[in-house]
Amino acid sequence: MSRASDVIVIGRGPAGLLVSSLVVEQGGQVDMIADGLGTLPLWGGQFDFRSYDNDRKPVADPWAWWHRFGDTHPGGSVSAQMWRSWWQHLRDLWFTMEIPTEKLLPTKNRGTVTPLGRIKPAFLVPTWQFTQEYAGAITLVGVPDLVDFPVEAMARVYTWTTGMTAEIRWLERSPSWRPGWNGLNWAWYLDTEEGRRWLWEQVKSFRRGSAPLVFPQILGVDHTESLIEVLGELWGRGVAEIPLPPPSVGGLRLQRRWERWLRRKGVRLVQGRVKEIGGDFAALEGRRIHGGHVVLATGGVLGGGLEVLIDGQVRDRLMGLSLGVVKEPEDLASIGYRSWLEPTRVAGSALAGCDPNRHGDGGAMMLLTSHAVFSAVSGQEGRLEHAGRF
Amino acid sequence: MVIVIGGGASGLGLAWDLLLRSIPVMVVEMGDIGSGTSGRFHGLLHSGGRYVVSDVQAARECWEENRILKRVAGAAIKATGGYFLSVDDEGDAYVQDWVKGAEAIGLPVKEVAVGQIRETVENLGPWVRRGFSVPDGVLEGFTLLHLLRLNIENLGGEILTHTTVTDIRHENGRVVGVEVMDKDGPRVIACDAVVNAAGPYAGEVARLFHDGIAMQLSRGTMLIFANRRVPYVINRLAPPGDGDIIVPHGETAILGTTDVLQEDPGSTRATREEAQYLMQLGQRLFADMDRWRVLRAFTGVRPLYQDGQEIRDSRYISRDFTVIDHGQRRGLVGAFSLVGGKWTTYRLMAEHMADAVAAYLKVKRSSRTAEVPLQTAVEMDLRPGPTICECERVSLGQLARWPCASLTEWRTRSWFAMGPCQGTMCGHRGALLAMAVQTPSTALRELSQLRHERERGWWPTTWGDNARQWALGQALRHQTLAEEAWSDE
Ligand SMILES: Cc1cc2nc3c(=O)[nH]c(=O)nc-3n(C[C@H](O)[C@H](O)[C@H](O)COP(=O)(O)OP(=O)(O)OC[C@H]3O[C@@H](n4cnc5c(N)ncnc54)[C@H](O)[C@@H]3O)c2cc1C
Ligand SMILES: Cc1cc2nc3c(=O)[nH]c(=O)nc-3n(C[C@H](O)[C@H](O)[C@H](O)COP(=O)(O)OP(=O)(O)OC[C@H]3O[C@@H](n4cnc5c(N)ncnc54)[C@H](O)[C@@H]3O)c2cc1C
């Protein structure tokens, strides 16, 4: 590490968190600046590798997909070994942050269920998320008035798409329940002693079943694994969750654990909007922060890194750069920087050419761009010379 | 029985008029109620002020109907009042003509000091010079359509939706029935007379009557902003032009419109360029409009009619309406068309049309729609239940009030999915609720239709915060919910 001991990372979405982690793992000092939480609390926290091919058909083996078709994509020049080492590293990193995933890296995509009852591919997921290799029977847990988890309809869609049965077990309203509770309200409640005890009693009273018990993602924020363990013993089969629309508890769990780890490693988290950057500084309202490198992990249009003007121009507000003009809806997702090295170092969804909505490659793009930028700031540019531009 | 083709303002207005004369009616609508122009208009209950110089007949009718509708359809009207504002670059001559024109039709206009108007409307451009108050109002199109529907059905009138009239049955040149097509296939419905109230499609329907009518279709685009930026209607005091009216609508405000001749009765996709153009125009009244939170753009097609003249600028086609008896021309006997006009004058149009139909059927009763108020639904006391749509505060209890004929109908009745998030957070909830009565494939298809319908008007205005909202919507649809992905593996 030549100068990576002093990196300013702007943005605390998944890309910003990973770049920061890579730097501190090498003993570097990081300042993270962000004006908002980023996208993690908006999604359930499954990290996709490649879920759909260019015809939007599900991809069973993402390793093979990258190997065979990846050359149409910014990540196409990455070798299988490289991907493997990056995923392995993420898995190990999460392990030290107490974000549990399976023991071995997945060799294939697995199927998870969405709150619409649809099946979708998933690659690296924390153990709390429900996945299966082949669609089988499931038992869904209904929660009163939780409008984002309408179990009857989900069960019908599930059976209609997979031909497998989906039984239902209903929770009652807990004594602490209040009208308007969403998944996050439930999760905070189930982190408490009262909530856990109440849930144990509920599950004890369930009529037995032979299929895994699938909850909406409400099983606590900070104490999820221990709760799931007890519920598993009570139910006698697997217990897992399905991520819900925002506020999404899964992403929030990841972010809390990730940032706790970063803080322990000495990373400073600065709240605020960056107005200007230079080669070695970032300026906020009223002050400047200096560092050896500056990395933009400011996200795309959603994250706030890119702004769309009335005439369709897409601009990076911070850099004062125009990156193109949107004409078709697809452009909005895929417009952005064409290089992660020039004119500045960019990681995450401000990069052009990938569209996680269509391809299900959000996690992979985060890995690729974060590692590429890290190599650059740590003086290992040569390693990715050919992948730096697309 | 009379068959009315078209479930818009004209068709439902006519059905109501006929029923009040005890003439049995069936309305046939190919989409949902209001899926034509009547659900895609500006929402202005005209006082007539807009037309006092250019189209005096239309102005008179508007002012008359304005007062009648406030009486008989009060539940669907907000009597907000409005202003005509003159801006620097307009000559005084027009202002004088306008004031004279208003006086001539007895329209109560009053000059108000601009300073006083500024107190209630924020950020009015500094170049606004004079202001006149007028009795403009807001006409809630879907509310009035559903009100008409309720009253029609209460009197035994039948309304078929998702049913298209494909041909006319006739014997000896006289109408005896219509051929319709719905999801179960074609069938024939017998009738004594048929009325074409097909709005922009009136030209095509008239062909089924063995007659042709020359429609002059004109497309108008409007922009919706997420906040009620004005408490009343704001018009620019100038010869009618593009983008010169802002109408408050619930929690939103609508700026419009453009006016461009077009051939296709169904093409209603707004473009980014049109949205941009409207923003430029709107900034002449409100300098800070580029910072208003925009929601979406939408277009409607004006079913204007002007026989036998070549038209270059649709702004000069009369806003007046025409009743056509095809039997008196070269077409089928017992076939009629009602074309042109405005939402504001739908009742008057219906009255004239019903006079002609009643005469044909030898019924002597005259119109009662100006006297008989439309009955509103009895509010049921329902447990509100959980909130389905946070933006528009629509609860499960509210939705449950209407059996779900289609997601679109739920949307236009309850306003769910119409707020700032454009259904991002509630579209899937609606679709899954609908599954109580629908199959999974129907519900998912309707969800996808809802998304496309929302995106159509959303996309042209994706800038600033609205673009971020769009990005979240896409991520949720495709990543969190996997709405449209294949799932056969
Ligand atoms: C609803 C949803 C579902 C998703 N589902 C999946 C999934 O199933 N699988 C998957 O792999 N991925 C998923 N994703 C991830 C997604 O596809 C992207 O890969 C990811 O959101 C990109 O993160 P990022 O770190 O690049 O940027 P963001 O998370 O957008 O972070 C941007 C950060 O930059 C900060 N920022 C921006 N400008 C400034 C400034 N000037 N000053 C200071 N701070 C600034 C913001 O405050 C924020 O902290 C999902 C995303 C969403 C929203
Ligand atoms: C941009 C714009 C702004 C406007 N603003 C205002 C305003 O502010 N105030 C005002 O008073 N007026 C306004 N108008 C005018 C007003 O909206 C229209 O005059 C009125 O809605 C026309 O109603 P309609 O019932 O004749 O037509 P529509 O509402 O179009 O109804 C016709 C119906 O017939 C159906 N149909 C067609 N063919 C068939 C078939 N073969 N079988 C079955 N059904 C069929 C269609 O689906 C449609 O629903 C505006 C118009 C436009 C375009």
Side-chain angles (χ1 to χ4, degrees), chain B residues 109-120:
Chain B
V109 304
K110 199 171 106 223
E111 175 142 25
V112 179
V114 174
Q116 199 180 321
I117 302 173
R118 283 187 202 284
E119 277 168 25
T120 45

Side-chain angles (χ1 to χ4, degrees), chain B residues 54 80 114 123 141 215 278 302 340 365 371 407 422 436 446:
Chain B
S54 61
T80 56
V114 174
N123 296 319
M215 296 298 291
L278 279 170
R302 295 181 185 81
R365 285 175 288 268
E371 290 88 51
L407 264 193
Q422 303 279 307
E446 289 207 346

Side-chain angles (χ1 to χ4, degrees), chain A residues 10-15 33-39 42-43 46-48 120 272-274 297-299 302-305 348-349 356 362-363, chain B residues 475-476 479-480:
Chain A
I10 307 173
R12 61 196 275 209
I33 315 174
D35 65 346
L37 276 180
T39 48
L42 300 178
W43 52 291
Q46 74 166 38
F47 274 59
D48 294 334
K120 78 164 193 177
R273 177 147 199 95
V274 177
T298 48
L302 180 56
S349 56
Chain B
L476 215 74
Q479 301 194 69
T480 307

Side-chain angles (χ1 to χ4, degrees), chain A residues 136-154:
Chain A
I138 56 174
T139 303
L140 292 167
V141 179
V143 179
D145 284 3
L146 190 64
V147 287
D148 277 323
F149 204 72
V151 276
E152 276 116 350
M154 288 172 67

Side-chain angles (χ1 to χ4, degrees), chain A residues 52 56-58 60 114 116 118 120 147-148 150 153 156-157 160 246 301-303 308-309 327-329 332 357, chain B residues 425 428-429 432 435 438 440-441 444 459 462-464 468 470 474-476 478-483 485-486 489:
Chain A
Y52 303 104
R56 308 198 66 195
K57 280 173 91 174
T114 79
L116 212 53
R118 311 271 282 174
K120 78 164 193 177
V147 287
D148 277 323
R156 284 183 63 195
V157 177
W160 173 66
V301 171
L302 180 56
V308 186
L309 307 186
K327 298 218 163 58
E328 300 300 324
L332 202 60
N357 294 330
Chain B
M425 303 300 287
H428 64 285
R429 297 174 184 166
L432 289 162
M435 227 182 278
Q438 289 177 342
S441 65
L444 291 174
W459 167 248
T462 43
W463 59 74
R468 290 182 89 166
W470 168 278
Q474 294 297 310
L476 215 74
H478 297 296
Q479 301 194 69
T480 307
L481 299 171
E483 253 169 49
W486 293 53
E489 208 171 288

Side-chain angles (χ1 to χ4, degrees), chain B residues 6 9-10 29-30 37-38 41-42 44 165 197 200 222 302 341 343-344:
Chain B
S10 308
E29 164 57 51
M30 67 180 174
T37 310
S38 303
F41 77 122
H42 202 165
L44 173 58
V165 172
M222 291 149 282
R302 295 181 185 81
W343 233 122
T344 307

